[in-house]
Structures are given as structure tokens and as C-alpha cells.
Amino acid sequence: MLNNLSKQPEDKILGLAKLYRADDRPNKIDLGVGVYKDANGLTPVMRAIKTAEKQLWDVETTKSYTSLTGDAGFHKVMADLVLGDSVDPARLSFAATPGGTGAIHQIFELTKLSGNPKVWYSDPTWPNHLSIIKHLGVPAQAYRYFDNATGAISFDKMMADLETASTGDVVLLHGCCHNPTGANLNHAQWAEVTDLILRKDLVPFIDIAYQGFGDGLDEDAFGVRHLASRVPEMVIGASCSKNFGIYRERTGLVISLSPSAKEQPLAQENLSYVNRQNFSFPPDHGARLVTMVLSDPELRADWMAELEAVRAGMLRTREMLADALRRESGSDRFGFIAEHRGMFSRLGATPEQVLRLRDEYAIYMIGDSRMNIAGITEASIPTLAKAFIAVGV
């Protein structure tokens, strides 16, 4: 059997990380892998998480399973964080998952159980969306989203493409901090998208992996809350990896919104089913820590303060890089970097320019020129600005 397997395409992001590790140049800069790093190049354990872990060690009495869809306390605090008071909780169903990727996978599984409708995704989108879609055999089509020349959203083209969607199709939207571009819908655009979804009878699917990294916890949830307050049904894949800094704990959650409390049990039953078929019981350690942090006023306040410092630091980095590029290029064509939000921006470099940045300047980024803003330090900004202009970006 094993000899009959086919070679699978290498993950471009993981492949880039491998190349970076093998590079022995002391001045190398990693703008590839999407992991938050502080000014020292480390991904720290957040203070509130560390405190919660110590508390959990003292009080935890069992490592037995929770349930097929995870702990109800985790469901509640995450629903409050993501949705606030925008919906009736009786309409919500949940499934805890191994990370946000697991949540995305389980939602695609759910679409297959519901008749396998077409899923519309932004061009570009997070590459793993496309990989899972292909792996599961989900019908899909891109809608135009980003103008590489201006660094802005191609909103008219996006709306024109979604106008061609059919009743029951699923529209995959990034809740905030769009990956890979960093370009987000504004309030008015969210309202227009919501109106189109209602008029066309489409189903919104929100991937929200960076809440708190953009404009703040509540502001970053504006789009998902606006949709939830108006649409009859939707699905949400939420990740705790970034905003709680618990990447290796693999903590994610599917939230589904049914038309009414009457239909909710059927959605919950199917979420339990897809979990059982894939991994049975989800991991609990990260979910338990998130629950503790969000339920304890002191821990929550400390977490929010540290998260705000992370967010503010990335905004400062954006502004400093945009300023350095303005000075180096003598133009404002890189102003979009300061306007984008989250961990990523797409620089607008060609694949050839990206290769030159790697070969000549030891600057590593994905071939589509997505760069991880959290991988930039104040000391590296002058080097980056000079290199970007030198290769012709």
C-alpha cells in the first residue's frame, strides 16, 4: 500500500521555513510563517495564560474526556467573545476542534453533509482553505477581492462576482485581519455584503482567527456580529492560537447559527457527528485555559492589556515601515501598509522580486509577497525598505 502513494505538493509556507532554517547568514529576516513574534523574535506565553496554567495544575482532578464537542463553558465564553449579544444563544451550536484549522475542516465537512453547495472564497485567501477544499472535494469558486497594484480591496469586483452565486451557496469571509492581504472590509462594505447575502439567500461562513490583532476585540468582531444579527443562518470557525498565544495547544471552535431554537438540535447533532468521524473528542487543555482567562475578571483584564500591547506594536511597525518606504522611494505608494490590519500585508512584489529578496538580502517571504508584520523589528526596517526598493518593488 505505502509504495502506491503519490508524492503530495509541499506546503509553501512550511517549505519556506525549512529554507530559512538552513540559511546560515546572520542577518536573515523571516517574514514567512504566520506566528506572532515579539521584539526579541520570540513567541511568548501570555501572562494570563501562564497564570491560568498554574491554577489549573492545582485544581485539575481528571484527564478524562469532556464531550464530543468540548466543554460547554468554553462554548459560552467564546460565543460571548465573538458574537457578543448579537444573537439569541438558543440558536447556537458548537464543536470544539484541534485549532482553527480543525474548525475550518469541520465546517467544510458540514457543507458536504448539507448537499455539498458551492463555496465562494476570496482571491487571494489563506492557502489551507484551498488545500482542504481540494482534499474534501468541495465545489468552490473564487471571488475577486484584492487589487495587488493599489493594496486595496476590489470591492465592486467582489460584489459583481458574488452576484452570480446561486441560492444556498456558501460565502467564505475573513472576519478581520484578512490573510494574506491585511485589507479588511469597512462597516459600510460589511452592510452591503450582508444585504447581498440576504437577497441572494446565501450562507455566510466566517473564518475569524485574529480577533484583537486589528482594531480591537469588539471592532474586529463588527462584521461577524452584524451578519449574525441579520441572517437566518451562518457558520463560524474561530481560532484561539493567535490572540491567546496558544498555537501548540490547538484550540478552535465551530459556531453555527440556526434559523431558530427549534432547528438548533439538528445542527448540534451533525457537529457531534463530524467530530466523531474525524477525531472523536477534541483537545481540552487550551480550551480550559481560554475559559479560565475569559471567566476571571483579573485574568481577562491582564490578557486584554497584553493583547492590546501586541496590537499596538504591530500598528507601530506598520507605520514605521510605511514611513521608511516613503523616504526610500520618494512616494506614497506603500501607504497601504499602515492602513492594513493584522499580522499580514501583501507587498505587491513579483515572484521574481521575492526570490531576489531571499537570495540577495536573506529576506524570506511567501512567493505572493505576503509578509508577516510581526516578523519585523525596528532594527530591521531600514534594511527592508532599502531591499524592497533595490529589487524594484
Side-chain angles (χ1 to χ4, degrees), residues 69 74-84 86-89 91-97 103-104 106-107 110 203-208 211 224 228 233-240 252-258 267-268 271:
T69 56
F74 176 58
H75 301 164
K76 183 181 185 305
V77 296
M78 284 298 292
D80 290 343
L81 183 69
V82 175
L83 292 169
S86 61
V87 298
D88 176 5
R91 295 170 58 196
L92 299 177
S93 302
F94 304 93
T97 59
I104 299 303
Q106 298 303 71
I107 291 174
L110 202 65
V203 180
F205 169 3
I206 307 297
D207 179 355
I208 185 162
Q211 186 179 354
V224 65
E233 61 176 340
M234 68 185 298
V235 284
I236 303 163
S239 171
C240 300
L253 184 68
V254 176
I255 306 173
S256 72
L257 176 66
S258 296
Q268 187 62 69
L271 286 174

Side-chain angles (χ1 to χ4, degrees), residues 25 27-28 356-363 386-387 390-391:
R25 287 176 287 183
N27 60 336
K28 62 183 180 180
R356 283 190 63 193
L357 287 169
R358 188 182 78 195
D359 292 346
E360 298 175 25
Y361 297 93
I363 297 169
K386 290 180 183 299
V391 302

Side-chain angles (χ1 to χ4, degrees), residues 23-46:
D23 191 333
D24 59 5
R25 287 176 287 183
N27 60 336
K28 62 183 180 180
I29 301 173
D30 180 13
L31 304 182
V33 177
V35 175
Y36 173 76
K37 298 177 184 179
D38 62 17
N40 298 313
L42 301 174
T43 303
V45 179
M46 297 183 83

Side-chain angles (χ1 to χ4, degrees), residues 278-341:
N278 281 279
F279 47 78
S280 285
F281 299 88
D284 180 68
H285 185 72
R288 191 71 53 177
L289 298 177
V290 169
T291 305
M292 293 172 69
V293 168
L294 293 179
S295 300
D296 182 288
E298 290 187 12
L299 289 179
R300 186 180 183 119
D302 190 32
W303 167 70
M304 291 177 66
E306 189 167 4
L307 180 61
E308 178 61 19
V310 167
R311 185 186 76 85
M314 286 190 289
L315 287 181
R316 284 195 300 273
T317 298
R318 288 183 173 280
E319 291 166 358
M320 287 189 294
L321 180 59
D323 286 343
L325 284 164
R326 185 177 297 111
R327 292 191 298 270
E328 196 68 33
S329 68
S331 75
D332 290 323
R333 68 178 187 271
F334 296 99
F336 64 86
I337 293 173
E339 296 171 3
H340 289 173
R341 291 294 182 267

